Each structure stands twice: as C-alpha cells, then as structure tokens.
Amino acid sequence: MSDIDQRRRTLCTQLLGGLAGIALGGPAWARPSVDEAAKVFRLDGAGVTYAFGVNQDGQLQALYWGSALAPEDKLPAPVPVPENSSNEMPVNLTPFEYPGFGGGLTVEPALKVTFPDGVRDLVLRHVDHRVDGERIVIRLKDVSRAVHVTLTYAMDAATGILARSAVVENRTASWIQVDQLAAAAINLPYSDDYRVSYLTGRWAGEFALQTRPIAPGSIVIETRKGVTSHQANPWIAISRGATEEEAGPVWFGALGWSGSWRIHVDMDALGGLRTTAGYNPFDFAYRLKPGEKLASPVFHAGYSGEGFGGASRVFHRYQREKILPGAPTPRLRPVLYNSWEATLFAVDEAGQTALAEKAASIGVERFVMDDGWFGSRSSDKAGLGDWVVNRKKFPNGLQPLIRRVRDLGMEFGLWVEPEMVNPDSDLYRAHPDWVIHFPGRPRSEARTQLVLNLARKDVYEHLLTMLDRLLKEHDIAFLKWDHNRAWSEPGWPEVAPAEQQRLYVAYVDNLYKLLGELRRRHPKVEIESCASGGGRVDLGIMALTEQVWTSDNTDPFDRLLIQDGFTRAYTPAIMMAWVTDAPNFVNRRVTSLEYRFLSAMQGGLGIGANLNHWKDEDFAKARQLVAEYKTIRKTVQQGKLYRLVSPQGGSRRSATLSVAQDGGQAVLFAFLHSSGLREAPPRIQLRGLDPNKTYALRAIAGKAAAQTPKRASGAYWMGHGLAVDMAGDFQAAAFVLEA
Ligand code: DGJ
C-alpha cells in the first residue's frame, strides 16, 4: 500500500468513511445543493447554513456561515473585493475558501509550495466540482502548473457540523515541496466585536479557557511538539461581544490531528476574519514526487446560536455519533481502578491482587495496572521499550493476577507507552538508531526517555508485533496508551535529507495505522489516550481510542476547572476522572472522599486511591457512590451538558446539569469552594427539562434547602430553581431528577 493510500485509509477510518475518497458511512449526512448557474454551493443541516461559490475570476469564495437561511433564499454569486488602496491588494481582502500563496497574497495561505526552479507562486482556480453523495468535492488547480487541490465538504445532518479537508496532488513532471497545508480556511464577515476562545495549559493544568477580543492582526494557537500537547489544544470558538453561555452566536472548530498543528486566526485590514487550520508550517516540508498526493487532517467546524453551551452540546453529539469508536452508540465507560497513584512503579503480584480485591468490593468493573510491570522498570530511568513481564515482580507472569481480576468479575487493563524508550533498555542497546534524532548530535532526554521513530517501517512492525503478542497472550480488555514527552531533534537520518521532514506526517499516520490495525485484530480491546494526562486529546486520536486521561491533576477542586475547559470542546463520554488520596499529590489539598467522588462522577469514573489505607467507612461511602454512579452514568457521559455555574474566573461556586437524551433523567452536581460573608445559597435554575413533565428529586449527596419540594414540574425547576444547602469549604452535592 502506498503512502497516500495509507493516508487516505487513515483519514477514512477517522471520518467514518472519510472525506478523502470513500463514501461517507454512518447515519445522515446532509445533502448539499448546488446552484449551477450562479456556481453557488450550499450545505444545510440542523439549523445551520454554510455557503460558498466561484467568482468570475474562478476563485473559490466564502458566502455565508451561520443560522439556517430559508431554502428559497438565493445567495448572490460571489464577487471579489475591489481594490481598496494600492497597499491592500484585493487578494488579501477577498474571503477565499482555500488561498494559495501567490498572486500577492500576504494574509495566511492554506497551501504554500516550492517548485524546483525556485518559483513559490501558487494561484488556485476552480476547475470543476461534483456532488458525490453527501459530499461536495471541488477541484482547484494552479493557473499554469499542474498542482491540483481537491477540497471536500460534508455536513452532519444532525448537528450542522461541517467536516472539511484538502488533498494536494503533484501532476508536474518533477518534485514539488509542500511548505504549508491546511484543511480549510473559514471566513466570517466584518465585525468589531469578535472574540476568540481557546484552550491552553501545562502538565497538571490542561484545558485552561482563554478568551480575548479579536482585533486586526493574527492570533496563533499551535504546538510544535510533535504531539497534540498540553500547551494548547486544537479547538477554537469565535463568539460576539454579547454571546453568553446559553445565548448568542458561536462558531467553533477542532482539528483531527495528533501531531504538530496550528490554528491561525487572522483579521484583515478591513476587519474580515479568516481561520486557517492544518499542519503546523513550522519546520514543515513535504516533498511530493510526480503523481504523489498529501492529504490534510480534517477540520470539523460548527455553529450554534445558543451560546457556548449550545456549541458544546452539538459538538459532543457529533463526537458521539460520528467520531468515537462505536459511533453512533459508543459504549459507556466502565468504572475503573488504576494503580498509579497508589503504588507508582512498585507493582507486584501480591500488591496488585490486594488492590484488585478491594476495588472489586466497591463495584469497580475494570482493574488497570499502570507503569512498572515490565523489563527493569523500577523508576522512570530504565526499562521503557522492554515489554516483557518483570519476573521479579511477577514470578509467574501476569496470568495469575489477570485470572484473579477476572474471577473477581472485573476486566483487566494494562499501561503501555509504546512510542518511547529509555536509553537504559535492551531495546535501545539493540537499536540506538530507532529513535528520532540527528546523527552526530546530542539526543535530548526528557523523563530519561527518547521518542521512537514510528515513521520507520521496522519500528512500526516491532510495535505491532509486540502489542499484538501482548494482547494475544493475555486476557486484556484495555490498554492505557501513554506518551510522556515532546519531540526534540526531529531528524530521520535513514531517509534522504529532502524526505526527512515527512516525519511530522508519517509518524502520526503510522500511529493511527498501528492503533487501527490493533483494533482490527483485537476488536474487543479498548484504548485510552494518555500523554502525561491530557497531552493527546484531539478528534484524530478520539476516532481510535474510547477514552482519554484528562489530566494527571487529580485534585478534585482543580479538576472542576479542567473539566469545565475540557467540555467546551470534548464530550464527557470520554473524559476520565479518578478519586485519589487526600492530601492530593499535586497541591496537598485535603478534601472529603464524598467531594472527591462527586467531582470525578462528572466524567467517566475511576478510582486511583491507595485502597490499603481506606477505613471501613470509606469503603461504605465508595460502594454507595459507585452504585449511584452506575444509575446516572449514561446521563452524565452521554446526556446534554449544561454548565449552569462555571468555575471559570475564580467563581466560588460551580454547578453542572446533565440531561438524558430521552429527557427522563437529569443529574445536578453543585460545588462550593468556600462560604463567604454568611451568604445564603443561591437558587440554581436548571435547564433543558420538559416544562410540562413532573420530576421527582432525589439527593445522591448533600441536601436541598429546607422546603424544596420532592416533586415539581420542569417549569418549576427551571424557573424557580433549586437551592442547595451548602456551607463551609470544599462542599459538594449531587441530585437526580427523574421524570
Ligand atoms: C503519566 C500518566 O499520565 C500517569 O497517569 C501514569 O500512567 C504515568 N505516566 C506512568 O508513568
């Protein structure tokens, strides 16, 4: 299979039938419409219209993106923006769907290439178009050279979310070098009150929400680290000054790519707004031989008129129904136990068995042994890469532990970090050339480890064989797939210098291929994407992994903020959260077990505490809350999420409500950081209920204020609201409403 076929297949896997060549699968993509006379294209779905067209110069130009237009509304054919001054060429003011670097373009290009003769001018014109089932496929070509670009557009009928991607093809007689390739450029018209929101972070501090006004100039959100990163996540939302949590326009998008990426938001001299999302052009160069192609990742973009809450609800739905493994009905997350915080590297058969027995007693469904079980691994200094069971810790292999876990009624899960190696390992001693490096240059270590070059065929084959054997020889239901460092010295000396920078794409392609192949061979095994916590969370990896490890920060109060940020972009259906020990290892904060549980119950519940230190009453509390969680998890994981009171901005209170898709259940979580000035508890007005249905209220933890009715209409809970009786520090409560 050629590189491009593989790349196509990867994209197809990711997009359920893909935008790059195969019929779209899954339910209900919207049918596009084309006005052939005006050359105007429209996609309409779920209250959203996206329209663009071809102007008289053959340029592809944006027309409209926002709330649905009437079907009979005729969009006028696009016209290029006239010259405004000799200092601002029309090409920089016209809202192109896919600008090439050329013809005087000084705003952000979607595609930039270099030809062997030094020409770096690329002017793309419409060649033809077709409606291919549910996709619009547009072909563009440079005005004189045989560089072809195929753009694909598909809109999800249920959410109005548009998936866009591009493929560049070299049909010239010699090589061309792709210096920059985006999935899409998306335009919004002039306004002086746009704001952009995005997620930044660091280890143990992921998904921090940033919001700032957009003024003329550029805002760049990116990573150059080879992996999605903690530092920024490939999601943005653009809102207007008056947009609120539950009202006002929000345009949003996320890139399905787990390598170096960039989202560039650019307001031009006249106030037009363009967002370009794709591979990070930093250090990027992808040489195409004659006949070769390169596909972009997919950019998934949506619109909601119902504020940030509405935007995240439609995006969550899209992820559940179109992206996640098992879509449109992904499996619910089992309650898991993970050994990491309890034992760190000191895992052994007796210790893990004791933890497993205690975990089973509180209702855990999946027992996961973390780092330390293999090679000479007793710290992060050695053993990574040697995926053989450590016989000192497990004299009889893993089988006795796995059997015991299975007998206790739980699934068994195992930690791996396949893409990495410690220099102090048999693998590295045998294959020092297998890591990403520049020959003769120092190899920078982080956590005493180096990154294996997964773009290499032999590394790929080795990892596939090793993981396949591990899964064949053991009854493993789940892999926690970790990735604990950023890239450095991104060299690939085995290929020609001009080919080396293909690494940025080829590595991630092979990662997707490896995950895809393992899933094909072991369809019952589930995978968690972890990268020192939430360093690899994006729509690319999400298509191949059932859940993500949100953050190594397990402090339940910090987690409220992290989870609030996370759910702006991604569904709680994949967001894992553990109950760990107090004081928490991150910040020494002490909170009650109940508080820790309620914070973690907002996502996929896990327990990571050292159960050997628990008292009888802790087990009793955990048993009760795990049992409660199982009655609400479908609503929490896959329901409609309302961030009723956000912890953003230092709020001392926060509250979320999850409403089941069928409306039959709603779950309210409320948290108080600290009481102040003897204030009375404010009433929390619920959302998303049926005003005409009666809902019975039941407390999972904490209590409602005196005189709160036991039953009332949806209208009452939404209009009058519910006051929670909470006072003190780090208080939490949770309620269920059943219709
Ligand atoms: C980083 C992960 O985020 C942790 O949960 C744990 O698995 C460690 N790696 C193990 O080394």
Side-chain angles (χ1 to χ4, degrees), residues 203 338 340 345 370-372 377 380 415 417 447 480 482-484 528 530-534 549 551-552 578:
W203 175 73
N338 179 289
W340 175 244
F345 299 94
D370 211 282
D371 200 348
R377 187 84 163 163
D380 58 13
W415 180 93
E417 192 178 3
R447 209 191 190 207
K480 173 176 173 180
D482 210 343
H483 177 290
N484 281 302
E528 176 174 85
C530 169
S532 300
W549 180 223
S551 176
D552 275 351
W578 304 343

Side-chain angles (χ1 to χ4, degrees), residues 425-561:
S425 67
D426 293 342
L427 184 74
Y428 189 73
R429 281 183 282 273
H431 300 288
D433 52 331
W434 275 13
V435 296
I436 294 175
H437 71 286
F438 289 121
R441 306 286 307 164
R443 302 173 180 199
S444 302
E445 294 176 18
R447 209 191 190 207
T448 343
Q449 65 195 54
L450 296 167
V451 185
L452 288 172
N453 184 351
L454 185 48
R456 287 175 59 127
K457 198 164 178 300
D458 46 9
V459 171
Y460 170 86
E461 295 293 349
H462 168 77
L463 294 182
L464 178 61
T465 308
M466 177 278 287
L467 289 161
D468 186 43
R469 190 181 318 126
L470 190 66
L471 295 175
K472 265 195 197 127
E473 290 176 356
H474 300 93
D475 182 5
I476 292 173
F478 172 81
L479 288 178
K480 173 176 173 180
W481 187 300
D482 210 343
H483 177 290
N484 281 302
R485 59 158 292 181
W487 291 10
S488 58
E489 297 93 21
W492 182 2
E494 295 72 30
V495 298
E499 306 281 311
Q500 288 204 10
Q501 281 150 291
R502 280 187 175 223
L503 181 69
Y504 289 104
V505 175
Y507 180 110
V508 181
D509 276 353
N510 268 2
L511 170 68
Y512 291 160
K513 184 172 146 193
L514 179 60
L515 286 164
E517 183 56 21
L518 285 169
R519 298 186 66 89
R520 195 188 63 73
R521 294 189 192 182
H522 304 277
K524 295 217 170 89
V525 175
E526 293 196 341
I527 303 174
E528 176 174 85
S529 173
C530 169
S532 300
R536 188 151 67 189
V537 180
D538 61 80
L539 296 183
I541 204 80
M542 265 165 70
L544 295 158
T545 54
E546 278 76 8
Q547 60 189 54
V548 300
W549 180 223
T550 314
S551 176
D552 275 351
N553 187 340
T554 52
D555 171 68
F557 174 69
D558 280 4
R559 262 307 176 96
L560 298 179
L561 202 58

Side-chain angles (χ1 to χ4, degrees), residues 330 332 629-640 658-662 665:
L332 291 173
Y629 179 73
K630 290 176 183 170
T631 71
I632 57 166
R633 76 171 131 191
K634 186 154 202 264
T635 303
V636 168
Q637 293 179 18
Q638 301 190 354
K640 296 179 193 154
S658 303
V659 180
Q661 294 296 340
D662 68 5
Q665 187 185 63

Side-chain angles (χ1 to χ4, degrees), residues 559-573:
R559 262 307 176 96
L560 298 179
L561 202 58
I562 292 172
Q563 291 171 182
D564 182 281
F566 182 99
T567 64
R568 309 261 155 185
Y570 303 114
T571 166

